Every structure is written in structure tokens, then in C-alpha cells.
Amino acid sequence: MKCLFAIRLFFVVSSACLCAKITPSLAHSVNVLDYGAKGDGQTDDSQAFLKAWEDVCNANDQDNPTLVIPNRNTFMLTPIKFKGPCNPATIIVKVKGTIVAPNNIKGWQWPEDDEKKDKWVQFSDISGLVIEGGGQIDAQGAPWWKYKGDKASYRPTALHFHRCESLTLKDLTHINSPKNHISINMCNGSYISNLHLIAPEDSPNTDGINISESTNIVILNSTMETGDDCIAINGGTSFVNISNVYCGPGHGISVGSLGENGGYEEVEEIHVQNCTFNGTTNGARIKTWIVRSFYPHFLSHLLCYINIFGVLLNQGGRGYARKITFEDIILVNTENPIIINQQYVDRHLIEYYNGQAVEVSDVTYRNIIGTSPSEKVINLNCDLKIGCNDIVMEDINITPSSSGNEVYASCTKAEGTSSSCTPTPSCLSN
């Protein structure tokens, strides 16, 4: 019996040891409070966040670590950079509490290596980043909104992602950005869902999500109430799927502007569906530049008179915007429900236009219904020399917001087809 018991004990111990050897490391949590963060909303907690990030980023590649920003705390951050590449294949950032920016411009102290000084919270070169948790990000942008005209470039983006592969961003509230709430740049494979982005209707350039040079982007089930585009899709972007987004107030969902300063830009495979535009300035919008000046308007005129256009004027934009679909859209009092503006141009310089523009083609509008306070509810303003091709409109029904008003479609140099379309664009064949 003693021998049999010893044999059984040997197998139990051996099995336990074997399991311990083959069981992967359990995910571990890193709480910013353990690194000296105060969470009182007044103390700069940036250094504590960076120390916690360093441990998370350098963790064992099998740990799948979680950086915890706990609830019932408010953490004030000055401009900060979270850099990769990191060891773990997945890093989770749990934003349960509130993150705030300094409440005055003087408090925004950028790192010494930040030459541009145009971003608040940056994530760069990180694969498998997951940011979630149900918390709130408050960029306290109101002091920045006073900058107008040329000084508008001073306003920073709140949350910026650069070269972050397989990014997941979900379950957050983000308010009052100085400029764009979220920027996605050179990211492949982003999944964004259940966001609530909020800024006053008159806050300038407070785009919800701004996408550039990125591909395979999914945006779902979100509410965006901003002072500019709810979502802006810029050059170098492809394969974007946007679904079930509520937009309003704001400027709608836009492709562009493209081709500013004579640039070559490509956008394709954009699909927007099951979205609502409520009280927005625009609904489904495509905008491209044909010519733009480097100089203020008064100086542009002066330089034109002395004929140095080679220095003064940029060439019109080049490239294309194609394979774009807006479908199953609800409009509620939307000012410009459907608009293509291929002549998005410095109006002071239109007479010097050189006949070059970003090509717009293969654009479909399907099952778009609702109301508008405007008379011109469909505006296909395509370039007289380049034009727009393969425009398809199906099952469109846009009616006046107020009884007694009438609506119409304006159409310039667009080619394509329309069916069951009210109002009907004259330049599209039935």
C-alpha cells in the first residue's frame, strides 16, 4: 500500500509540474496608481503613465499585459507619447477613469523631442493595441478654439495613432478636442466601435475621426456630435467600412478634401451604410481641390498682377476617389444631403485654374431618405474639364423639412444613371 501510495503521489506531483511548464504566463495588470499617479485631476501624471507604459511595453511577449487607468480617478496628462515597438503581441489599455488635458494653453508643455507640437496623446509603432474600458477622455479644447485663420494650425489633435497595426478602440467617451478628436494615420486593420465623441456645434475643426494613409478600417455603432466632419477620409486610404454611425451636429461623413497643394492622392473602396445625419451641415460628401494659393487672399491678387504664377499657384490635385458607396442613410433636417464638390477651390484663384483635378468615379448612392431645410439637396458639382464618371443613384427620396418648400438637384458634368430618385439629377440618365 505504501508503495502504491508513493507511485500515485509521484504521478500527481509530476503532472502538476508538467502543467506548470506548459501553461502560458497569465496576463498581468499594471495600475498607474502603483507608479505614482495621483489621479486628482490637478497633478501632472504623465511621468507615472510613461513608467507604467515602459513596463507594459517591455513585458514578456506572452504576458498580454493590461495597463489599468482606474475609475473614480481623474488623471491630468500633458502632451505625451506612448512608443513601440513592444514585446507583447497584444497590449490592453483599460481606460476606466477620466483622462484630462491641462485646462489652459500655458499648461500644455510638450516633450523636448516633439517638434510639431500638434498632438496631445500619441501612440506610435504599436501592434495589437487595444484601448477600451468605458472611461472618458476630455481634451479641454475650449481655450484653443479662439485660434482662427492661419493660427488654426496651432490647435492640436487630441488622440493620434501612427503605424499602429491591428488597433482596437472601443467603449469610450471623448469630449472637447482642440482639433480632431481621433486621428488614424498609416494604420492597417483598425476596429473602432461604441465611441461617443462630443464637441459644441461651433467648435472649429473638431472632426470626430480623421483617417489618412490607412487601410482596412471598420467603424461601427458610434455617436458623433462635433463641430466638423464626423468622419473624414483622406488620401492614401482604402477599404473603409462605416456602419451604424449617428452623426449630428457636424459636417457629415466626408471623403476629402483631396489634392490640396497639388498633391497626388488616392481613396477607394469606401462603404458607408446604416447611418443617420441629424441636423448636419452635410450628409454624404466628396470634396477635392483643383487649385490653391500658398498666400493670403490679398497677397494672392497682388502677386497675380505681377505674374509670378509659377511660385504662387499650386497645380490642381491629382489622383482619384473611386468605388465609394453611401447606402441606407437617414436624413433629418440635413442641409446638404448629397454633395460632390470636385471644384473645392480657392474662389479668388478660379480664373487661373489649369485643368487638373482629382478624378471622381464609381460612386453609388442607394436608399437615402429624409428631409432637408435646403432647396438644393443633391449637388453634383463636377469639374468642367475632368468631370465625374459612373455616378449611380438609386431609391433616393429627399423632401423639404417644411411644408410648402421645394427641393431640386443640381448637376454639372456628372455622368451615370439614376432610378427612383427624387429629386432627379438632370445629367444622369434614367
Side-chain angles (χ1 to χ4, degrees):
M1 288 295 293
K2 290 182 180 180
C3 182
L4 181 61
F5 174 77
I7 293 173
R8 287 178 177 175
L9 181 62
F10 171 79
F11 277 111
V12 169
V13 173
S14 299
S15 298
C17 293
L18 181 60
C19 289
K21 290 179 181 178
I22 65 174
T23 301
S25 301
L26 297 177
H28 71 275
S29 293
V30 172
N31 191 315
V32 294
L33 292 175
D34 296 332
Y35 289 76
K38 300 300 182 184
D40 58 12
Q42 303 295 323
T43 305
D44 183 2
D45 288 323
S46 300
Q47 291 306 310
F49 272 60
L50 288 175
K51 290 176 183 177
W53 174 257
E54 184 177 357
D55 279 0
V56 166
C57 186
N58 293 324
N60 185 291
D61 61 0
Q62 294 182 353
D63 283 348
N64 294 330
T66 299
L67 177 63
V68 178
I69 302 165
N71 58 7
R72 295 189 294 275
N73 291 92
T74 298
F75 301 92
M76 194 272 281
L77 300 181
T78 53
I80 188 170
K81 295 181 178 180
F82 298 101
K83 300 178 182 178
C86 297
N87 292 333
T90 300
I91 293 179
I92 301 172
V93 179
K94 286 278 188 184
V95 183
K96 296 183 177 181
T98 298
I99 298 173
V100 299
N103 60 9
N104 61 79
I105 293 176
K106 188 176 293 186
W108 287 61
Q109 301 296 322
W110 273 269
E112 292 182 0
D113 64 342
D114 195 335
E115 297 179 358
K116 293 186 176 180
K117 296 178 172 55
D118 60 353
K119 305 171 187 71
W120 174 37
V121 179
Q122 304 181 51
F123 292 88
S124 62
D125 300 289
I126 306 162
S127 296
L129 177 64
V130 178
I131 302 180
E132 59 184 9
Q136 178 171 283
I137 299 173
D138 182 358
Q140 303 210 80
W144 294 93
W145 298 335
K146 66 182 180 182
Y147 289 116
K148 310 290 184 183
D150 294 338
K151 291 185 177 181
S153 60
Y154 296 166
R155 298 193 297 262
T157 294
L159 188 57
H160 182 82
F161 298 93
H162 176 65
R163 288 202 299 252
C164 290
E165 301 287 305
S166 302
L167 167 69
T168 298
L169 182 64
K170 62 181 182 178
D171 303 326
L172 294 172
T173 298
H174 192 165
I175 67 174
N176 295 332
S177 176
K179 194 178 179 183
N180 306 330
H181 283 76
I182 299 168
S183 288
I184 309 292
N185 173 251
M186 298 180 70
C187 296
N188 178 38
S190 298
Y191 178 85
I192 301 169
S193 69
N194 295 304
L195 300 185
H196 193 180
L197 310 180
I198 308 170
E201 185 174 4
D202 60 353
S203 58
N205 303 116
T206 52
D207 293 2
I209 301 176
N210 192 295
I211 307 168
S212 61
E213 299 180 79
S214 299
T215 187
N216 296 311
I217 310 295
V218 175
I219 302 174
L220 303 174
N221 306 328
S222 297
T223 298
M224 303 183 189
E225 307 168 76
T226 70
D228 208 312
D229 294 335
C230 292
I231 301 173
I233 301 165
N234 296 297
T237 300
S238 61
F239 294 95
V240 176
N241 281 280
I242 300 168
S243 181
N244 198 25
V245 168
Y246 176 97
C247 174
H251 295 178
I253 296 177
S254 295
V255 175
S257 56
L258 304 176
E260 187 173 4
N261 296 330
Y264 180 91
E265 295 185 302
E266 301 175 352
V267 171
E268 64 180 336
E269 298 289 355
I270 310 299
H271 193 185
V272 180
Q273 64 178 346
N274 296 324
C275 294
T276 298
F277 300 112
N278 189 349
T280 54
T281 303
N282 304 297
R285 187 183 191 191
I286 300 172
K287 50 182 177 176
T288 69
W289 286 101
I290 58 173
V291 65
R292 179 81 186 273
S293 169
F294 283 116
Y295 301 102
H297 293 151
F298 75 92
L299 186 57
S300 296
H301 285 296
L302 176 62
L303 293 176
C304 286
Y305 284 123
I306 59 177
N307 197 27
I308 57 171
F309 303 129
V311 176
L312 168 65
L313 298 181
N314 291 294
Q315 296 289 310
R318 297 171 295 120
Y320 55 79
R322 66 190 184 194
K323 299 180 181 178
I324 300 167
T325 299
F326 295 91
E327 64 179 338
D328 302 326
I329 305 295
I330 296 175
L331 309 168
V332 182
N333 210 37
T334 303
E335 289 186 32
N336 300 293
I338 297 174
I339 179 170
I340 294 177
N341 196 347
Q342 202 182 19
Q343 300 190 53
Y344 196 61
V345 62
D346 188 326
R347 59 187 176 84
H348 297 270
L349 300 172
I350 186 63
E351 59 189 294
Y352 307 113
Y353 168 46
N354 63 359
Q356 186 169 283
V358 176
E359 297 179 5
V360 177
S361 65
D362 197 358
V363 181
T364 298
Y365 302 90
R366 181 183 296 115
N367 192 28
I368 299 177
I369 61 173
T371 62
S372 173
S374 306
E375 294 181 346
K376 187 194 299 185
V377 296
I378 297 175
N379 184 10
L380 307 181
N381 183 25
C382 299
D383 178 63
L384 293 175
K385 297 181 180 179
I386 304 298
C388 306
N389 300 304
D390 299 319
I391 309 299
V392 177
M393 290 194 165
E394 299 176 349
D395 300 317
I396 311 294
N397 188 7
I398 305 173
T399 58
S401 298
S402 302
S403 60
N405 293 344
E406 295 183 358
V407 296
Y408 71 95
S410 174
C411 197
T412 302
K413 199 62 176 179
E415 297 181 356
T417 62
S418 68
S419 62
S420 301
C421 189
T422 302
T424 302
S426 59
C427 60
L428 302 183
S429 60
N430 293 317

